[in-house]
Structure formats: structure tokens, C-alpha cells
Amino acid sequence: MGEEEVKVLGVWGSPYSKRVEIALKLKGIPYDYTEEEDLHGHKSELLLKSNPVHKKIPVFFHAGKPITESLVIVEYIDETWKANPILPHDPYQRALARFWAKFIDEKCMPAIWKAYQGDDKAVKEAHDCLEILENELEGKRLFGGETIGLADIAADFIGDWMELVQEAGAVKLLTNEKYPKLCKWSEEFVSIVKEYLLPRDKILAYLKARFESAQASK
């Protein structure tokens, strides 16, 4: 690996991997991508060696050094390459951006995943989280203001995947009737990063196959 070479170890169908790729592409940083093909069975030697604690993707390599955890990686990218900043310069605004990214990562994402997996108790928690995000967007185009920030990247699953997950057969959590600001944010987010995203028909086919497999196994 060259002195300044940038590499991402990820999974094509992971919003966590996509966070890192979005940050790199917003910055205009070229990188090599390696697919970790089997997260549920055999994990590659590269993954186990570079992330021995959690054994999860994504893993980001810069100059041969691995960094793990998607939001940690995004902040590292922002601090290393200054163009097109993801975090604001003002310390207070930076703290707020980190707060919302942490809220999305630690509260919203687990509740949404559980709700989509059929956990009825998680549905209310997911709605509570979405309501909080809806209120936070009052008067804003994006969570980062006029440009994509850390919280927007953290919420990439909401922006890029939730509509498709629901179309594939999951409970409908995010609707324009209930969360118009969040749906408008989703449209704005996708319009900005659409060239960086996977084809939506490929994601939808993948999700439908997963739902069909889950139903068949019941």
C-alpha cells in the first residue's frame, strides 16, 4: 500500500460502508474498494486483522493504517482532507453535529432495524426517533444546513434505504403524511449524492429477496 493510498473494506449493501464512500466522494478523494463477501460466515483475514475488536465493516485504510467505526472514519476523513468540510468550524455547531449523528446511530438506527424485523415494541420507539428528527429539520434544508454534514451522512439509511425497505415489504414507518420535512430532506439528500449511490433497483431486489427468505423460514 502506497504512502498516501486510501482503501475501504466494506459491503455493497451496507449503509455503514456507504457513509465512508459518501464522505470520500464529497471530498473528491480517490480510493480502492474491497468487498467483504461473507459477514455471516467466514470473515476475511484482512477484516479480522484490521478490526479484531468488533470484526465489522467498514474498515478504512490510509497510508497502511486501519481505522474502524463509520462515523469515526468520516471525522478522520474530514480532518485529513480540508476541502468541502463535513463538520462546521464553530465548536458549538460541531458539538451539535456530533450529538445528532450519535443520536441517529445509537437510538434511531437500532429502533428502525428492530421495527423492520417485526419487533412491535420497537415501532413506537422508531416513530419517536423520526418525530424528533422531523422537528430538528424545522427551517432547514439539511441537518448540516445548506450542505451535507455529519448528521446527514449518519442518516444515509433513512435518506436512501427506508423507502425501499418499506416497498420491499416492511412496516411503513416513514411516510410523507406523517413526516413531510424528513421526506423532503430525503429527496434533497438523494439528489445531492445520487451519483454515489447504488442503483435503487439493485437494492430493492436485494431487500425483497431477504424479506422472502425471512418469511419462508418462519
Side-chain angles (χ1 to χ4, degrees), residues 26-63:
L26 288 172
K27 295 278 187 176
I29 307 302
Y31 63 96
D32 291 328
Y33 177 83
T34 299
E35 180 81 3
E36 177 70 22
E37 295 184 359
D38 187 6
L39 287 177
H40 303 292
H42 174 74
K43 298 187 179 183
S44 71
E45 183 179 342
L46 178 60
L47 177 60
L48 296 175
K49 180 180 178 181
S50 54
N51 190 4
V53 176
H54 297 298
K55 303 178 179 64
K56 294 180 179 179
I57 54 89
V59 181
F60 176 80
F61 301 87
H62 183 213

PDB file of all heavy atoms in Angstrom, residues 26-63:
ATOM      1  N   LEU A  26     -17.572  13.144  -1.578  1.00  0.00           N
ATOM      2  CA  LEU A  26     -17.816  14.570  -1.361  1.00  0.00           C
ATOM      3  C   LEU A  26     -16.508  15.350  -1.314  1.00  0.00           C
ATOM      4  O   LEU A  26     -16.442  16.511  -1.721  1.00  0.00           O
ATOM      5  CB  LEU A  26     -18.603  14.786  -0.059  1.00  0.00           C
ATOM      6  CG  LEU A  26     -20.076  14.375  -0.069  1.00  0.00           C
ATOM      7  CD1 LEU A  26     -20.650  14.467   1.336  1.00  0.00           C
ATOM      8  CD2 LEU A  26     -20.894  15.238  -1.028  1.00  0.00           C
ATOM      9  N   LYS A  27     -15.479  14.705  -0.807  1.00  0.00           N
ATOM     10  CA  LYS A  27     -14.158  15.333  -0.706  1.00  0.00           C
ATOM     11  C   LYS A  27     -13.349  15.218  -2.002  1.00  0.00           C
ATOM     12  O   LYS A  27     -12.305  15.862  -2.141  1.00  0.00           O
ATOM     13  CB  LYS A  27     -13.348  14.676   0.418  1.00  0.00           C
ATOM     14  CG  LYS A  27     -13.906  14.880   1.810  1.00  0.00           C
ATOM     15  CD  LYS A  27     -13.498  16.227   2.356  1.00  0.00           C
ATOM     16  CE  LYS A  27     -13.900  16.384   3.804  1.00  0.00           C
ATOM     17  NZ  LYS A  27     -13.426  17.668   4.366  1.00  0.00           N
ATOM     18  N   GLY A  28     -13.803  14.349  -2.908  1.00  0.00           N
ATOM     19  CA  GLY A  28     -13.056  14.134  -4.134  1.00  0.00           C
ATOM     20  C   GLY A  28     -11.790  13.324  -3.951  1.00  0.00           C
ATOM     21  O   GLY A  28     -10.809  13.506  -4.677  1.00  0.00           O
ATOM     22  N   ILE A  29     -11.805  12.396  -2.984  1.00  0.00           N
ATOM     23  CA  ILE A  29     -10.627  11.586  -2.676  1.00  0.00           C
ATOM     24  C   ILE A  29     -10.726  10.243  -3.392  1.00  0.00           C
ATOM     25  O   ILE A  29     -11.659   9.468  -3.144  1.00  0.00           O
ATOM     26  CB  ILE A  29     -10.505  11.345  -1.149  1.00  0.00           C
ATOM     27  CG1 ILE A  29     -10.540  12.666  -0.381  1.00  0.00           C
ATOM     28  CG2 ILE A  29      -9.243  10.556  -0.834  1.00  0.00           C
ATOM     29  CD1 ILE A  29      -9.472  13.644  -0.776  1.00  0.00           C
ATOM     30  N   PRO A  30      -9.791   9.913  -4.273  1.00  0.00           N
ATOM     31  CA  PRO A  30      -9.811   8.591  -4.915  1.00  0.00           C
ATOM     32  C   PRO A  30      -9.482   7.496  -3.914  1.00  0.00           C
ATOM     33  O   PRO A  30      -8.693   7.700  -2.987  1.00  0.00           O
ATOM     34  CB  PRO A  30      -8.734   8.710  -5.994  1.00  0.00           C
ATOM     35  CG  PRO A  30      -7.828   9.793  -5.522  1.00  0.00           C
ATOM     36  CD  PRO A  30      -8.669  10.749  -4.735  1.00  0.00           C
ATOM     37  N   TYR A  31     -10.076   6.325  -4.099  1.00  0.00           N
ATOM     38  CA  TYR A  31      -9.844   5.228  -3.164  1.00  0.00           C
ATOM     39  C   TYR A  31     -10.060   3.894  -3.863  1.00  0.00           C
ATOM     40  O   TYR A  31     -10.746   3.807  -4.887  1.00  0.00           O
ATOM     41  CB  TYR A  31     -10.780   5.334  -1.953  1.00  0.00           C
ATOM     42  CG  TYR A  31     -12.251   5.212  -2.282  1.00  0.00           C
ATOM     43  CD1 TYR A  31     -12.912   3.990  -2.161  1.00  0.00           C
ATOM     44  CD2 TYR A  31     -12.980   6.315  -2.715  1.00  0.00           C
ATOM     45  CE1 TYR A  31     -14.264   3.871  -2.467  1.00  0.00           C
ATOM     46  CE2 TYR A  31     -14.324   6.212  -3.025  1.00  0.00           C
ATOM     47  CZ  TYR A  31     -14.958   4.993  -2.899  1.00  0.00           C
ATOM     48  OH  TYR A  31     -16.298   4.874  -3.212  1.00  0.00           O
ATOM     49  N   ASP A  32      -9.466   2.862  -3.293  1.00  0.00           N
ATOM     50  CA  ASP A  32      -9.698   1.492  -3.742  1.00  0.00           C
ATOM     51  C   ASP A  32     -10.726   0.852  -2.823  1.00  0.00           C
ATOM     52  O   ASP A  32     -10.723   1.093  -1.609  1.00  0.00           O
ATOM     53  CB  ASP A  32      -8.403   0.681  -3.699  1.00  0.00           C
ATOM     54  CG  ASP A  32      -7.397   1.140  -4.742  1.00  0.00           C
ATOM     55  OD1 ASP A  32      -7.837   1.580  -5.815  1.00  0.00           O
ATOM     56  OD2 ASP A  32      -6.187   1.079  -4.469  1.00  0.00           O
ATOM     57  N   TYR A  33     -11.601   0.051  -3.401  1.00  0.00           N
ATOM     58  CA  TYR A  33     -12.658  -0.600  -2.625  1.00  0.00           C
ATOM     59  C   TYR A  33     -12.483  -2.115  -2.696  1.00  0.00           C
ATOM     60  O   TYR A  33     -12.278  -2.678  -3.769  1.00  0.00           O
ATOM     61  CB  TYR A  33     -14.037  -0.215  -3.166  1.00  0.00           C
ATOM     62  CG  TYR A  33     -15.176  -0.908  -2.461  1.00  0.00           C
ATOM     63  CD1 TYR A  33     -15.671  -0.419  -1.259  1.00  0.00           C
ATOM     64  CD2 TYR A  33     -15.746  -2.061  -2.991  1.00  0.00           C
ATOM     65  CE1 TYR A  33     -16.703  -1.049  -0.603  1.00  0.00           C
ATOM     66  CE2 TYR A  33     -16.785  -2.705  -2.339  1.00  0.00           C
ATOM     67  CZ  TYR A  33     -17.256  -2.199  -1.145  1.00  0.00           C
ATOM     68  OH  TYR A  33     -18.289  -2.838  -0.493  1.00  0.00           O
ATOM     69  N   THR A  34     -12.568  -2.763  -1.526  1.00  0.00           N
ATOM     70  CA  THR A  34     -12.526  -4.222  -1.441  1.00  0.00           C
ATOM     71  C   THR A  34     -13.802  -4.705  -0.772  1.00  0.00           C
ATOM     72  O   THR A  34     -14.178  -4.217   0.304  1.00  0.00           O
ATOM     73  CB  THR A  34     -11.304  -4.696  -0.626  1.00  0.00           C
ATOM     74  OG1 THR A  34     -10.113  -4.261  -1.271  1.00  0.00           O
ATOM     75  CG2 THR A  34     -11.293  -6.215  -0.514  1.00  0.00           C
ATOM     76  N   GLU A  35     -14.475  -5.658  -1.406  1.00  0.00           N
ATOM     77  CA  GLU A  35     -15.729  -6.193  -0.879  1.00  0.00           C
ATOM     78  C   GLU A  35     -15.461  -7.318   0.118  1.00  0.00           C
ATOM     79  O   GLU A  35     -14.719  -8.265  -0.180  1.00  0.00           O
ATOM     80  CB  GLU A  35     -16.582  -6.727  -2.031  1.00  0.00           C
ATOM     81  CG  GLU A  35     -17.920  -7.310  -1.609  1.00  0.00           C
ATOM     82  CD  GLU A  35     -18.997  -6.255  -1.376  1.00  0.00           C
ATOM     83  OE1 GLU A  35     -18.726  -5.058  -1.587  1.00  0.00           O
ATOM     84  OE2 GLU A  35     -20.108  -6.630  -0.977  1.00  0.00           O
ATOM     85  N   GLU A  36     -16.037  -7.186   1.309  1.00  0.00           N
ATOM     86  CA  GLU A  36     -16.015  -8.272   2.303  1.00  0.00           C
ATOM     87  C   GLU A  36     -17.248  -9.117   2.023  1.00  0.00           C
ATOM     88  O   GLU A  36     -18.379  -8.707   2.317  1.00  0.00           O
ATOM     89  CB  GLU A  36     -16.048  -7.699   3.717  1.00  0.00           C
ATOM     90  CG  GLU A  36     -16.103  -8.729   4.826  1.00  0.00           C
ATOM     91  CD  GLU A  36     -14.800  -9.513   4.981  1.00  0.00           C
ATOM     92  OE1 GLU A  36     -13.733  -9.022   4.552  1.00  0.00           O
ATOM     93  OE2 GLU A  36     -14.846 -10.623   5.530  1.00  0.00           O
ATOM     94  N   GLU A  37     -17.070 -10.287   1.467  1.00  0.00           N
ATOM     95  CA  GLU A  37     -18.177 -11.015   0.860  1.00  0.00           C
ATOM     96  C   GLU A  37     -19.035 -11.829   1.825  1.00  0.00           C
ATOM     97  O   GLU A  37     -20.186 -12.094   1.537  1.00  0.00           O
ATOM     98  CB  GLU A  37     -17.645 -11.932  -0.248  1.00  0.00           C
ATOM     99  CG  GLU A  37     -17.040 -11.136  -1.403  1.00  0.00           C
ATOM    100  CD  GLU A  37     -16.586 -12.029  -2.546  1.00  0.00           C
ATOM    101  OE1 GLU A  37     -16.733 -13.256  -2.408  1.00  0.00           O
ATOM    102  OE2 GLU A  37     -16.101 -11.487  -3.541  1.00  0.00           O
ATOM    103  N   ASP A  38     -18.496 -12.244   2.944  1.00  0.00           N
ATOM    104  CA  ASP A  38     -19.251 -13.160   3.804  1.00  0.00           C
ATOM    105  C   ASP A  38     -19.159 -12.736   5.264  1.00  0.00           C
ATOM    106  O   ASP A  38     -18.321 -13.224   6.014  1.00  0.00           O
ATOM    107  CB  ASP A  38     -18.728 -14.592   3.631  1.00  0.00           C
ATOM    108  CG  ASP A  38     -19.597 -15.618   4.371  1.00  0.00           C
ATOM    109  OD1 ASP A  38     -20.642 -15.216   4.908  1.00  0.00           O
ATOM    110  OD2 ASP A  38     -19.223 -16.795   4.392  1.00  0.00           O
ATOM    111  N   LEU A  39     -20.057 -11.828   5.657  1.00  0.00           N
ATOM    112  CA  LEU A  39     -20.038 -11.339   7.043  1.00  0.00           C
ATOM    113  C   LEU A  39     -20.675 -12.326   8.015  1.00  0.00           C
ATOM    114  O   LEU A  39     -20.432 -12.257   9.216  1.00  0.00           O
ATOM    115  CB  LEU A  39     -20.775 -10.002   7.129  1.00  0.00           C
ATOM    116  CG  LEU A  39     -20.057  -8.792   6.539  1.00  0.00           C
ATOM    117  CD1 LEU A  39     -20.946  -7.579   6.639  1.00  0.00           C
ATOM    118  CD2 LEU A  39     -18.745  -8.543   7.247  1.00  0.00           C
ATOM    119  N   HIS A  40     -21.522 -13.211   7.514  1.00  0.00           N
ATOM    120  CA  HIS A  40     -22.273 -14.098   8.400  1.00  0.00           C
ATOM    121  C   HIS A  40     -21.597 -15.455   8.583  1.00  0.00           C
ATOM    122  O   HIS A  40     -22.036 -16.256   9.395  1.00  0.00           O
ATOM    123  CB  HIS A  40     -23.696 -14.287   7.865  1.00  0.00           C
ATOM    124  CG  HIS A  40     -24.425 -12.989   7.692  1.00  0.00           C
ATOM    125  ND1 HIS A  40     -24.811 -12.204   8.752  1.00  0.00           N
ATOM    126  CD2 HIS A  40     -24.804 -12.324   6.568  1.00  0.00           C
ATOM    127  CE1 HIS A  40     -25.418 -11.125   8.306  1.00  0.00           C
ATOM    128  NE2 HIS A  40     -25.417 -11.167   6.990  1.00  0.00           N
ATOM    129  N   GLY A  41     -20.562 -15.692   7.835  1.00  0.00           N
ATOM    130  CA  GLY A  41     -19.830 -16.942   7.975  1.00  0.00           C
ATOM    131  C   GLY A  41     -18.354 -16.669   8.133  1.00  0.00           C
ATOM    132  O   GLY A  41     -17.913 -16.071   9.120  1.00  0.00           O
ATOM    133  N   HIS A  42     -17.588 -17.070   7.157  1.00  0.00           N
ATOM    134  CA  HIS A  42     -16.145 -16.863   7.189  1.00  0.00           C
ATOM    135  C   HIS A  42     -15.813 -15.397   6.937  1.00  0.00           C
ATOM    136  O   HIS A  42     -16.230 -14.820   5.946  1.00  0.00           O
ATOM    137  CB  HIS A  42     -15.474 -17.738   6.129  1.00  0.00           C
ATOM    138  CG  HIS A  42     -14.012 -17.486   6.007  1.00  0.00           C
ATOM    139  ND1 HIS A  42     -13.102 -17.920   6.959  1.00  0.00           N
ATOM    140  CD2 HIS A  42     -13.288 -16.820   5.069  1.00  0.00           C
ATOM    141  CE1 HIS A  42     -11.881 -17.540   6.597  1.00  0.00           C
ATOM    142  NE2 HIS A  42     -11.971 -16.874   5.457  1.00  0.00           N
ATOM    143  N   LYS A  43     -15.062 -14.806   7.851  1.00  0.00           N
ATOM    144  CA  LYS A  43     -14.627 -13.418   7.677  1.00  0.00           C
ATOM    145  C   LYS A  43     -13.182 -13.408   7.213  1.00  0.00           C
ATOM    146  O   LYS A  43     -12.370 -14.209   7.655  1.00  0.00           O
ATOM    147  CB  LYS A  43     -14.794 -12.643   8.983  1.00  0.00           C
ATOM    148  CG  LYS A  43     -16.255 -12.570   9.429  1.00  0.00           C
ATOM    149  CD  LYS A  43     -16.464 -11.665  10.619  1.00  0.00           C
ATOM    150  CE  LYS A  43     -17.951 -11.632  10.983  1.00  0.00           C
ATOM    151  NZ  LYS A  43     -18.240 -10.700  12.089  1.00  0.00           N
ATOM    152  N   SER A  44     -12.899 -12.470   6.317  1.00  0.00           N
ATOM    153  CA  SER A  44     -11.581 -12.460   5.699  1.00  0.00           C
ATOM    154  C   SER A  44     -10.485 -12.185   6.723  1.00  0.00           C
ATOM    155  O   SER A  44     -10.712 -11.557   7.767  1.00  0.00           O
ATOM    156  CB  SER A  44     -11.524 -11.405   4.597  1.00  0.00           C
ATOM    157  OG  SER A  44     -11.529 -10.098   5.143  1.00  0.00           O
ATOM    158  N   GLU A  45      -9.295 -12.638   6.374  1.00  0.00           N
ATOM    159  CA  GLU A  45      -8.134 -12.384   7.228  1.00  0.00           C
ATOM    160  C   GLU A  45      -7.889 -10.883   7.360  1.00  0.00           C
ATOM    161  O   GLU A  45      -7.508 -10.402   8.423  1.00  0.00           O
ATOM    162  CB  GLU A  45      -6.911 -13.081   6.642  1.00  0.00           C
ATOM    163  CG  GLU A  45      -5.656 -12.929   7.492  1.00  0.00           C
ATOM    164  CD  GLU A  45      -4.463 -13.644   6.908  1.00  0.00           C
ATOM    165  OE1 GLU A  45      -4.659 -14.525   6.050  1.00  0.00           O
ATOM    166  OE2 GLU A  45      -3.329 -13.325   7.309  1.00  0.00           O
ATOM    167  N   LEU A  46      -8.135 -10.153   6.269  1.00  0.00           N
ATOM    168  CA  LEU A  46      -7.939  -8.701   6.295  1.00  0.00           C
ATOM    169  C   LEU A  46      -8.863  -8.040   7.309  1.00  0.00           C
ATOM    170  O   LEU A  46      -8.440  -7.168   8.079  1.00  0.00           O
ATOM    171  CB  LEU A  46      -8.188  -8.116   4.902  1.00  0.00           C
ATOM    172  CG  LEU A  46      -8.071  -6.592   4.770  1.00  0.00           C
ATOM    173  CD1 LEU A  46      -6.675  -6.119   5.154  1.00  0.00           C
ATOM    174  CD2 LEU A  46      -8.436  -6.152   3.357  1.00  0.00           C
ATOM    175  N   LEU A  47     -10.149  -8.456   7.343  1.00  0.00           N
ATOM    176  CA  LEU A  47     -11.092  -7.884   8.298  1.00  0.00           C
ATOM    177  C   LEU A  47     -10.695  -8.219   9.729  1.00  0.00           C
ATOM    178  O   LEU A  47     -10.675  -7.342  10.603  1.00  0.00           O
ATOM    179  CB  LEU A  47     -12.506  -8.393   8.010  1.00  0.00           C
ATOM    180  CG  LEU A  47     -13.594  -7.939   8.986  1.00  0.00           C
ATOM    181  CD1 LEU A  47     -13.716  -6.424   9.007  1.00  0.00           C
ATOM    182  CD2 LEU A  47     -14.935  -8.568   8.647  1.00  0.00           C
ATOM    183  N   LEU A  48     -10.379  -9.473   9.996  1.00  0.00           N
ATOM    184  CA  LEU A  48     -10.040  -9.894  11.353  1.00  0.00           C
ATOM    185  C   LEU A  48      -8.757  -9.232  11.851  1.00  0.00           C
ATOM    186  O   LEU A  48      -8.644  -8.905  13.038  1.00  0.00           O
ATOM    187  CB  LEU A  48      -9.890 -11.415  11.397  1.00  0.00           C
ATOM    188  CG  LEU A  48     -11.161 -12.212  11.095  1.00  0.00           C
ATOM    189  CD1 LEU A  48     -10.859 -13.694  11.053  1.00  0.00           C
ATOM    190  CD2 LEU A  48     -12.255 -11.919  12.111  1.00  0.00           C
ATOM    191  N   LYS A  49      -7.827  -9.025  10.953  1.00  0.00           N
ATOM    192  CA  LYS A  49      -6.561  -8.403  11.331  1.00  0.00           C
ATOM    193  C   LYS A  49      -6.727  -6.903  11.562  1.00  0.00           C
ATOM    194  O   LYS A  49      -6.156  -6.338  12.496  1.00  0.00           O
ATOM    195  CB  LYS A  49      -5.519  -8.640  10.239  1.00  0.00           C
ATOM    196  CG  LYS A  49      -4.155  -8.036  10.541  1.00  0.00           C
ATOM    197  CD  LYS A  49      -3.179  -8.315   9.413  1.00  0.00           C
ATOM    198  CE  LYS A  49      -1.827  -7.664   9.697  1.00  0.00           C
ATOM    199  NZ  LYS A  49      -0.863  -7.917   8.577  1.00  0.00           N
ATOM    200  N   SER A  50      -7.531  -6.252  10.726  1.00  0.00           N
ATOM    201  CA  SER A  50      -7.641  -4.792  10.787  1.00  0.00           C
ATOM    202  C   SER A  50      -8.700  -4.311  11.777  1.00  0.00           C
ATOM    203  O   SER A  50      -8.649  -3.176  12.252  1.00  0.00           O
ATOM    204  CB  SER A  50      -7.933  -4.218   9.403  1.00  0.00           C
ATOM    205  OG  SER A  50      -9.078  -4.833   8.829  1.00  0.00           O
ATOM    206  N   ASN A  51      -9.670  -5.171  12.117  1.00  0.00           N
ATOM    207  CA  ASN A  51     -10.679  -4.813  13.121  1.00  0.00           C
ATOM    208  C   ASN A  51     -10.908  -6.000  14.051  1.00  0.00           C
ATOM    209  O   ASN A  51     -11.974  -6.619  14.052  1.00  0.00           O
ATOM    210  CB  ASN A  51     -11.991  -4.401  12.447  1.00  0.00           C
ATOM    211  CG  ASN A  51     -12.981  -3.800  13.433  1.00  0.00           C
ATOM    212  OD1 ASN A  51     -12.689  -3.622  14.613  1.00  0.00           O
ATOM    213  ND2 ASN A  51     -14.171  -3.476  12.955  1.00  0.00           N
ATOM    214  N   PRO A  52      -9.908  -6.342  14.869  1.00  0.00           N
ATOM    215  CA  PRO A  52     -10.013  -7.528  15.719  1.00  0.00           C
ATOM    216  C   PRO A  52     -11.000  -7.377  16.873  1.00  0.00           C
ATOM    217  O   PRO A  52     -11.429  -8.375  17.442  1.00  0.00           O
ATOM    218  CB  PRO A  52      -8.580  -7.699  16.254  1.00  0.00           C
ATOM    219  CG  PRO A  52      -7.997  -6.313  16.216  1.00  0.00           C
ATOM    220  CD  PRO A  52      -8.602  -5.663  15.015  1.00  0.00           C
ATOM    221  N   VAL A  53     -11.359  -6.154  17.223  1.00  0.00           N
ATOM    222  CA  VAL A  53     -12.276  -5.935  18.354  1.00  0.00           C
ATOM    223  C   VAL A  53     -13.714  -6.251  17.962  1.00  0.00           C
ATOM    224  O   VAL A  53     -14.383  -7.094  18.563  1.00  0.00           O
ATOM    225  CB  VAL A  53     -12.158  -4.497  18.885  1.00  0.00           C
ATOM    226  CG1 VAL A  53     -13.178  -4.256  20.003  1.00  0.00           C
ATOM    227  CG2 VAL A  53     -10.746  -4.231  19.400  1.00  0.00           C
ATOM    228  N   HIS A  54     -14.226  -5.560  16.932  1.00  0.00           N
ATOM    229  CA  HIS A  54     -15.632  -5.727  16.539  1.00  0.00           C
ATOM    230  C   HIS A  54     -15.824  -6.675  15.362  1.00  0.00           C
ATOM    231  O   HIS A  54     -16.933  -7.175  15.148  1.00  0.00           O
ATOM    232  CB  HIS A  54     -16.247  -4.366  16.204  1.00  0.00           C
ATOM    233  CG  HIS A  54     -16.286  -3.435  17.370  1.00  0.00           C
ATOM    234  ND1 HIS A  54     -17.008  -3.701  18.520  1.00  0.00           N
ATOM    235  CD2 HIS A  54     -15.688  -2.233  17.582  1.00  0.00           C
ATOM    236  CE1 HIS A  54     -16.849  -2.707  19.384  1.00  0.00           C
ATOM    237  NE2 HIS A  54     -16.056  -1.808  18.838  1.00  0.00           N
ATOM    238  N   LYS A  55     -14.749  -6.849  14.570  1.00  0.00           N
ATOM    239  CA  LYS A  55     -14.814  -7.742  13.406  1.00  0.00           C
ATOM    240  C   LYS A  55     -15.930  -7.327  12.447  1.00  0.00           C
ATOM    241  O   LYS A  55     -16.665  -8.158  11.896  1.00  0.00           O
ATOM    242  CB  LYS A  55     -15.000  -9.202  13.842  1.00  0.00           C
ATOM    243  CG  LYS A  55     -13.922  -9.718  14.790  1.00  0.00           C
ATOM    244  CD  LYS A  55     -14.195 -11.142  15.207  1.00  0.00           C
ATOM    245  CE  LYS A  55     -13.111 -11.684  16.142  1.00  0.00           C
ATOM    246  NZ  LYS A  55     -13.042 -10.961  17.429  1.00  0.00           N
ATOM    247  N   LYS A  56     -16.085  -6.023  12.261  1.00  0.00           N
ATOM    248  CA  LYS A  56     -17.146  -5.485  11.411  1.00  0.00           C
ATOM    249  C   LYS A  56     -16.563  -4.535  10.368  1.00  0.00           C
ATOM    250  O   LYS A  56     -15.508  -3.947  10.555  1.00  0.00           O
ATOM    251  CB  LYS A  56     -18.180  -4.723  12.254  1.00  0.00           C
ATOM    252  CG  LYS A  56     -18.984  -5.595  13.214  1.00  0.00           C
ATOM    253  CD  LYS A  56     -19.967  -4.743  13.993  1.00  0.00           C
ATOM    254  CE  LYS A  56     -20.813  -5.578  14.947  1.00  0.00           C
ATOM    255  NZ  LYS A  56     -21.763  -4.731  15.722  1.00  0.00           N
ATOM    256  N   ILE A  57     -17.323  -4.417   9.276  1.00  0.00           N
ATOM    257  CA  ILE A  57     -17.011  -3.390   8.285  1.00  0.00           C
ATOM    258  C   ILE A  57     -17.780  -2.120   8.679  1.00  0.00           C
ATOM    259  O   ILE A  57     -18.738  -2.189   9.469  1.00  0.00           O
ATOM    260  CB  ILE A  57     -17.406  -3.859   6.851  1.00  0.00           C
ATOM    261  CG1 ILE A  57     -18.872  -4.313   6.787  1.00  0.00           C
ATOM    262  CG2 ILE A  57     -16.503  -4.966   6.415  1.00  0.00           C
ATOM    263  CD1 ILE A  57     -19.821  -3.228   6.466  1.00  0.00           C
ATOM    264  N   PRO A  58     -17.381  -0.957   8.175  1.00  0.00           N
ATOM    265  CA  PRO A  58     -16.274  -0.747   7.251  1.00  0.00           C
ATOM    266  C   PRO A  58     -14.942  -0.611   7.985  1.00  0.00           C
ATOM    267  O   PRO A  58     -14.902  -0.301   9.169  1.00  0.00           O
ATOM    268  CB  PRO A  58     -16.633   0.586   6.581  1.00  0.00           C
ATOM    269  CG  PRO A  58     -17.361   1.332   7.670  1.00  0.00           C
ATOM    270  CD  PRO A  58     -18.152   0.283   8.418  1.00  0.00           C
ATOM    271  N   VAL A  59     -13.871  -0.867   7.227  1.00  0.00           N
ATOM    272  CA  VAL A  59     -12.530  -0.548   7.689  1.00  0.00           C
ATOM    273  C   VAL A  59     -11.921   0.388   6.654  1.00  0.00           C
ATOM    274  O   VAL A  59     -12.035   0.152   5.447  1.00  0.00           O
ATOM    275  CB  VAL A  59     -11.645  -1.795   7.849  1.00  0.00           C
ATOM    276  CG1 VAL A  59     -10.260  -1.394   8.352  1.00  0.00           C
ATOM    277  CG2 VAL A  59     -12.289  -2.804   8.791  1.00  0.00           C
ATOM    278  N   PHE A  60     -11.323   1.457   7.134  1.00  0.00           N
ATOM    279  CA  PHE A  60     -10.715   2.472   6.274  1.00  0.00           C
ATOM    280  C   PHE A  60      -9.209   2.412   6.465  1.00  0.00           C
ATOM    281  O   PHE A  60      -8.717   2.350   7.596  1.00  0.00           O
ATOM    282  CB  PHE A  60     -11.247   3.850   6.682  1.00  0.00           C
ATOM    283  CG  PHE A  60     -10.655   5.009   5.946  1.00  0.00           C
ATOM    284  CD1 PHE A  60     -11.096   5.339   4.677  1.00  0.00           C
ATOM    285  CD2 PHE A  60      -9.664   5.785   6.528  1.00  0.00           C
ATOM    286  CE1 PHE A  60     -10.562   6.425   4.001  1.00  0.00           C
ATOM    287  CE2 PHE A  60      -9.130   6.869   5.861  1.00  0.00           C
ATOM    288  CZ  PHE A  60      -9.576   7.191   4.590  1.00  0.00           C
ATOM    289  N   PHE A  61      -8.492   2.385   5.361  1.00  0.00           N
ATOM    290  CA  PHE A  61      -7.036   2.349   5.414  1.00  0.00           C
ATOM    291  C   PHE A  61      -6.472   3.619   4.792  1.00  0.00           C
ATOM    292  O   PHE A  61      -6.842   3.988   3.672  1.00  0.00           O
ATOM    293  CB  PHE A  61      -6.490   1.147   4.638  1.00  0.00           C
ATOM    294  CG  PHE A  61      -6.967  -0.190   5.138  1.00  0.00           C
ATOM    295  CD1 PHE A  61      -8.153  -0.739   4.668  1.00  0.00           C
ATOM    296  CD2 PHE A  61      -6.231  -0.894   6.078  1.00  0.00           C
ATOM    297  CE1 PHE A  61      -8.593  -1.970   5.114  1.00  0.00           C
ATOM    298  CE2 PHE A  61      -6.661  -2.132   6.533  1.00  0.00           C
ATOM    299  CZ  PHE A  61      -7.842  -2.666   6.054  1.00  0.00           C
ATOM    300  N   HIS A  62      -5.589   4.271   5.534  1.00  0.00           N
ATOM    301  CA  HIS A  62      -4.875   5.436   4.990  1.00  0.00           C
ATOM    302  C   HIS A  62      -3.399   5.249   5.289  1.00  0.00           C
ATOM    303  O   HIS A  62      -3.017   5.112   6.450  1.00  0.00           O
ATOM    304  CB  HIS A  62      -5.391   6.735   5.617  1.00  0.00           C
ATOM    305  CG  HIS A  62      -4.761   7.957   5.058  1.00  0.00           C
ATOM    306  ND1 HIS A  62      -4.523   9.084   5.811  1.00  0.00           N
ATOM    307  CD2 HIS A  62      -4.304   8.244   3.807  1.00  0.00           C
ATOM    308  CE1 HIS A  62      -3.941  10.004   5.057  1.00  0.00           C
ATOM    309  NE2 HIS A  62      -3.803   9.523   3.844  1.00  0.00           N
ATOM    310  N   ALA A  63      -2.602   5.231   4.233  1.00  0.00           N
ATOM    311  CA  ALA A  63      -1.162   5.007   4.373  1.00  0.00           C
ATOM    312  C   ALA A  63      -0.878   3.716   5.153  1.00  0.00           C
ATOM    313  O   ALA A  63       0.034   3.654   5.972  1.00  0.00           O
ATOM    314  CB  ALA A  63      -0.490   6.201   5.039  1.00  0.00           C
TER     315      ALA A  63
END
